[in-house]
Amino acid sequence: MREFLFSIGRELNAWIEGLKLQNYQHLVFIALKILAILFLACIIHKIGKVLIDRFFNARIQAKIGVDARKVNTLRALAHSILKYTVYFVTGLTVLGQFVDTTSILATAGIGGLAVGFGAQSLVKDVINGFFILFEDQYAVGDFVTIGDTTGTVEEIGLRITKIRGFKGDLTIIPNGQVQKVVNYTRGNVLAVVDISVPYETDIDRVIKLIEDVAKRYAQENKNIVEQPQVLGVMDMGDSQITIRAVARTLPLKHWEVERELKKRIKEAFDENDIGVPYPRRVIIQSEKEEKQ
């Protein structure tokens, strides 16, 4: 790293010392060349993005059994590789207008460049990102929880993963920090509905009523893939008895099923005069207070 910095310093110092008043025209020429390099890099980046999008869109439209989520994941990865490649080549080309980059690379070496820029965490991010893609832990469009972040995977790059939250917030997570992933998109999900009733309620009657409501709803909703079940009494609290019903649904459809099932059960309770539990308080009065 030290040799690399010294090499750049020497090259820049020699370039500045050689700069005379009569060389300002040469300086303007270099500035124009840099602008041309940046303009060309932007054009190459945009053309590359268009070609990548066309290639992956063709794979989706071909309808040959290709998973659209995986295609979008590879598309985002290709965009990331293109961006970093263009940035690196452009930076090296611009630097070459001032110093001899060949001698710098020969002095420091490619490995010295990586370590010199503090790329240990970068290498970790890239390697972990590779295994995320190789093991198919999640893909673009999956609803996941990574650490304390929950949302939809919007982009997977070489170094980072972008998660879009329910409220629209965007969280950017370095791939090296992805230690545990909960993926809600892979496989069917269990919708769980807990219903509380007062102690004086006929439990068998309530269970039968919930079963009837759940079965009718399952016949109407194609998102429910298994017959709903009422598991029975799950808890006995201070003033209520909790009964649990479950239904297995398609991925990410369990929230919708839970909300609608609760609504229908409440309507059925109202029709059958089944009340809701209220907190109760027992007051014990001492004999002295009774005499007073």
Side-chain angles (χ1 to χ4, degrees):
M1 176 60 183
R2 183 176 300 176
E3 294 179 358
F4 173 70
L5 294 177
F6 284 161
S7 177
I8 291 181
R10 287 195 300 267
E11 294 286 345
L12 288 175
N13 187 47
W15 184 82
I16 292 173
E17 290 179 353
L19 185 62
K20 305 295 182 181
L21 291 176
Q22 61 269 28
N23 293 333
Y24 280 154
Q25 291 182 348
H26 178 63
L27 182 61
V28 172
F29 177 72
I30 291 178
L32 293 175
K33 286 182 64 177
I34 293 176
L35 290 176
I37 292 170
L38 295 177
F39 177 76
L40 183 61
C42 292
I43 297 299
I44 293 175
H45 187 222
K46 290 183 178 180
I47 293 176
K49 288 181 65 177
V50 171
L51 294 177
I52 290 172
D53 289 336
R54 287 185 178 180
F55 174 80
F56 286 105
N57 288 336
R59 302 283 78 74
I60 295 177
Q61 295 173 1
K63 297 181 180 179
I64 54 176
V66 179
D67 190 347
R69 293 183 298 106
K70 292 183 178 179
V71 171
N72 291 330
T73 301
L74 293 175
R75 184 207 308 269
L77 182 61
H79 283 166
S80 180
I81 294 175
L82 173 66
K83 178 177 67 175
Y84 288 123
T85 302
V86 171
Y87 285 177
F88 177 77
V89 174
T90 302
L92 204 60
T93 306
V94 171
L95 185 62
Q97 304 304 312
F98 302 97
V99 297
D100 185 5
T101 55
T102 303
S103 62
I104 293 176
L105 292 177
T107 303
I110 299 298
L113 280 174
V115 176
F117 287 108
Q120 292 182 355
S121 60
L122 174 62
V123 172
K124 180 181 178 182
D125 293 339
V126 172
I127 292 176
N128 202 35
F130 168 78
F131 281 108
I132 289 173
L133 295 169
F134 179 76
E135 297 170 355
D136 197 20
Q137 297 179 16
Y138 53 84
V140 172
D142 286 358
F143 191 83
V144 300
T145 294
I146 300 177
D148 58 353
T149 303
T150 299
T152 303
V153 179
E154 190 170 274
E155 180 181 335
I156 302 177
L158 277 176
R159 194 182 68 84
I160 59 174
T161 295
K162 295 182 179 180
I163 305 293
R164 181 72 65 176
F166 177 74
K167 296 181 179 180
D169 50 301
L170 180 66
T171 303
I172 301 174
I173 304 174
N175 290 332
Q177 296 182 10
V178 177
Q179 303 296 329
K180 180 180 178 181
V181 179
V182 180
N183 195 327
Y184 300 95
T185 311
R186 308 295 173 84
N188 297 327
V189 187
L190 194 67
V192 180
V193 177
D194 288 335
I195 307 101
S196 297
V197 295
Y199 269 95
E200 60 269 16
T201 307
D202 186 344
I203 299 301
D204 292 333
R205 177 172 173 244
V206 171
I207 290 176
K208 181 66 168 59
L209 182 61
I210 295 174
E211 287 177 344
D212 293 341
V213 172
K215 287 180 180 179
R216 287 197 301 269
Y217 180 51
Q219 293 173 355
E220 302 173 9
N221 194 332
K222 296 181 180 180
N223 292 325
I224 300 177
V225 297
E226 289 184 10
Q227 190 69 25
Q229 296 180 349
V230 180
L231 302 182
V233 176
M234 299 300 296
D235 186 32
M236 299 177 67
D238 295 335
S239 58
Q240 78 279 344
I241 295 176
T242 302
I243 300 172
R244 175 169 294 179
V246 296
R248 194 164 295 278
T249 71
L250 294 176
L252 302 182
K253 298 298 182 181
H254 56 293
W255 293 304
E256 172 191 335
V257 170
E258 289 174 358
R259 291 192 297 268
E260 181 63 22
L261 196 53
K262 288 177 181 179
K263 175 178 176 292
R264 297 194 178 204
I265 291 173
K266 176 60 172 62
E267 293 173 350
F269 280 8
D270 292 341
E271 294 175 359
N272 291 269
D273 296 326
I274 298 176
V276 295
Y278 293 98
R280 302 181 182 183
R281 179 177 298 175
V282 177
I283 300 176
I284 301 176
Q285 190 174 16
S286 64
E287 296 181 0
K288 184 183 295 184
E289 289 176 344
E290 290 178 355
K291 292 178 181 181
Q292 293 177 354

